[in-house]
Amino acid sequence: MRPKEAVEAPALPLRLEDVKRRAAESIEASSERLGALSREIWSRPELAYEEREAHAALTRFFAGCGPSWSVQPRYKLETAFRADWQWDGAASAAQGPREPEPAAPLRLGFLCEYDALPGLGHACGHNLIAEVGAAAALGLKGALEALRQPPAGLLPRAPAVQITVLGTPAEEDGGGKIDLIEAGAFDGLDVVFMAHPSQEDAAYLPDVAEHDVTVKYYGKASHAAAYPWEGVNALDAAVLAYNNLSVLRQQMKPTWRVHGIIKNGGVKPNIIPSYAELEFYLRAPSLRELSVLTEKAENCFKSAALATGCDVELKGGAHDYYNVLPNKSLEKTYIENGKKLGMEFISDDNLNGLSGSTDFGNVTFVVPGIHPYFYIGSEALNHTEQYTTAAGSEEAQFYALRTAKALAMTALDVIFKPDLLEKIREDFRMVKLKEEGNLNTPEHGKGSALGIGAACASR
């Protein structure tokens, strides 16, 4: 050995925990860019299907991450996008060189939302959802890149991996994910990840199925003082329908929700209203229960028309939102990783209210996925002005990035633990089979066995 020649240190075993740490470090290294992305989306709120500036910001962000990302703007929808990164897989040096494998790569999807609420801006924190999705994808990429030439270690042989980031517009109104499902955007994905801001950390909340309906009553105008008997009052029909639903509430299950507004009730007090319009959201824990609730509500609307002599038109929304299917294996893994980062998860005993609805529910019927909720440093409630402020705060950044780390770490478990991936797939098959079986079972008015989630969140 020549004088002063350095002795090369032997390679240390590489464990999965080391790879997870690299994912977290990669997210921290991009924290300034991620924070700037979130603030840009937050400062320019846009409504469903109109998120052009958010779309531009996100596609610029991934284009700026280097040529290894393939970015497709306006992916199947004007304000949707897709960004892909491919990893060919790696074996440890102890295992020898990787042999060519014909199998398709493991495809992991990370979802971004970025639409805002009318009059409130980002009062549901979708700027943070976009940031978390982007950050988790970058963290996973950083961890896998470090394994291109790994040292001798304890990691099992890993499959090739494709990271797909999907920008999914219009969660608050319309259901952009459902549009993308129908367009084939989720075809081939193995597992999908996203996270939603809330008031606590929860791996799963039972986001419920939702159907929205617009009710239009057509009557006949007349002078309200001179000859009101010549008129047919559409506003009376709307008021009766509203009251019919109020009376129905006594017979509603505790897990059902009906809420709506009168959007049009006439033009002037001395004219019998010839037209009235209502908009209602109907929610239930499952699609089966939602169909029962929908039938009851429609009877309320139709009976009001019959009583007043009006004609009625019922028009459902473009898409029903499905309930989010749980995946116990994914949730357990996410909780394990989150706790390592200091998350304190709400217990099942403390779940004390109903959650909202999200088009991610429809996603869970076509691909296994996880939709956890995360604390952002504020007790403010979603869909309030206070939550808008909290979603744009510097304090929220710590919690958003922590959540992204937990998602990236969970994705690494999926990659390097084949048994876990099979459990995730089996959970998906069994829960979906049970849900589809329930759809074919008549409802007999028995209480729902579904759990009750903490108050938050989405639509």
Side-chain angles (χ1 to χ4, degrees):
M1 183 175 68
R2 297 191 187 93
K4 299 181 181 181
E5 184 177 31
V7 178
E8 184 176 345
L12 296 176
L14 187 66
R15 302 175 184 271
L16 182 54
E17 292 306 310
D18 299 323
V19 184
K20 290 181 179 180
R21 186 162 46 252
R22 291 180 181 178
E25 290 169 353
S26 295
I27 291 172
E28 282 297 328
S30 299
S31 60
E32 288 189 13
R33 290 184 65 231
L34 289 162
L37 173 67
S38 179
R39 286 189 295 274
E40 183 175 357
I41 296 171
W42 180 86
S43 65
R44 299 172 181 175
E46 299 165 295
L47 301 182
Y49 297 111
E50 299 175 3
E51 315 96 324
R52 295 176 183 85
E53 293 194 55
H55 168 273
L58 282 155
T59 52
R60 281 197 307 270
F61 178 87
F62 280 101
C65 290
S68 59
W69 282 97
S70 171
V71 182
Q72 299 180 60
R74 295 177 294 282
Y75 179 69
K76 300 185 182 295
L77 296 173
E78 182 186 355
T79 55
F81 74 91
R82 175 172 172 164
D84 293 297
W85 180 82
Q86 180 92 14
W87 182 65
D88 295 332
S92 72
Q95 296 168 315
R98 166 177 289 279
E99 297 177 1
E101 296 181 5
L106 179 64
R107 293 185 57 191
L108 304 180
F110 295 88
L111 308 188
C112 298
E113 294 176 5
Y114 34 88
D115 60 325
L117 289 161
L120 288 173
H122 280 288
C124 213
H126 288 194
N127 60 301
L128 298 175
I129 296 177
E131 179 182 7
V132 168
L138 291 188
L140 180 58
K141 172 181 177 288
L144 295 177
E145 279 186 322
L147 295 176
R148 288 194 183 278
Q149 293 180 334
L154 304 178
L155 286 175
R157 185 184 297 273
V161 175
Q162 180 173 309
I163 298 173
T164 296
V165 181
L166 284 177
T168 60
E171 189 277 338
E172 292 290 355
D173 186 17
K177 294 183 192 65
I178 307 170
D179 294 323
L180 290 170
I181 290 170
E182 293 174 350
F186 287 87
D187 293 354
L189 291 180
D190 292 290
V191 185
V192 292
F193 304 81
M194 68 168 288
H196 196 295
S198 183
Q199 294 76 45
E200 64 276 307
D201 288 305
Y204 171 79
L205 292 179
D207 287 294
V208 297
E210 186 267 346
H211 170 75
D212 58 83
V213 58
T214 298
V215 185
K216 299 179 180 181
Y217 290 106
Y218 299 93
K220 179 183 177 183
S222 183
H223 196 291
Y227 25 85
W229 55 85
E230 294 292 337
V232 178
N233 197 318
L235 178 58
D236 281 351
V239 172
L240 269 181
Y242 197 99
N243 288 334
N244 286 347
L245 287 167
S246 296
V247 173
L248 177 64
R249 292 183 193 280
Q250 186 179 20
Q251 277 69 51
M252 287 185 190
K253 293 184 179 182
T255 51
W256 292 1
R257 293 290 185 270
V258 173
H259 35 267
I261 59 172
I262 299 176
K263 296 181 69 174
N264 190 319
V267 294
K268 198 173 182 182
N270 63 350
I271 303 174
I272 298 293
S274 62
Y275 177 77
E277 182 178 333
L278 305 94
E279 184 177 2
F280 270 84
Y281 285 2
L282 315 176
R283 305 180 196 255
S286 67
L287 293 173
R288 178 171 65 106
E289 290 190 43
L290 182 62
S291 67
V292 175
L293 175 59
T294 299
E295 182 180 2
K296 291 179 181 291
E298 288 181 350
N299 287 338
C300 289
F301 300 137
K302 294 174 182 176
S303 62
L306 180 65
T308 58
C310 291
D311 293 324
V312 62
E313 176 187 333
L314 305 180
K315 183 178 181 181
H319 301 300
D320 285 350
Y321 283 21
Y322 293 0
N323 48 299
V324 174
L325 299 181
N327 193 293
K328 296 296 185 182
S329 297
L330 261 178
E331 293 154 21
K332 180 176 181 289
T333 305
Y334 177 79
I335 289 172
E336 291 170 353
N337 286 309
K339 286 182 174 179
K340 293 174 185 176
L341 297 169
M343 290 185 182
E344 296 180 3
F345 289 91
I346 188 169
S347 68
D348 292 343
D349 294 337
N350 293 328
L351 299 182
N352 57 6
L354 284 174
S355 185
S357 305
T358 169
D359 55 359
F360 187 84
N362 301 62
V363 174
T364 64
F365 277 73
V366 298
V367 59
I370 187 169
H371 183 276
Y373 286 86
F374 64 97
Y375 177 67
I376 66 169
S378 172
E379 301 303 320
L381 300 177
N382 298 67
H383 291 211
T384 65
E385 293 176 351
Q386 293 77 18
Y387 207 83
T388 301
T389 301
S393 70
E394 185 62 32
E395 186 177 8
Q397 287 300 298
F398 168 80
Y399 299 102
L401 295 182
R402 182 173 69 172
T403 301
K405 294 171 187 176
L407 288 179
M409 292 162 67
T410 302
L412 286 166
D413 282 317
V414 173
I415 294 168
F416 288 102
K417 296 179 178 178
D419 290 347
L420 173 60
L421 178 59
E422 187 50 45
K423 288 178 182 177
I424 290 168
R425 287 170 170 164
E426 182 63 17
D427 285 355
F428 170 71
R429 286 192 290 266
M430 295 305 295
V431 172
K432 185 178 177 185
L433 186 65
K434 179 180 178 181
E435 185 74 18
E436 291 174 342
N438 286 340
L439 285 175
N440 297 322
T441 303
E443 170 66 46
H444 296 296
K446 296 180 180 179
S448 171
L450 294 180
I452 296 177
C456 53
S458 228
R459 172 171 172 166

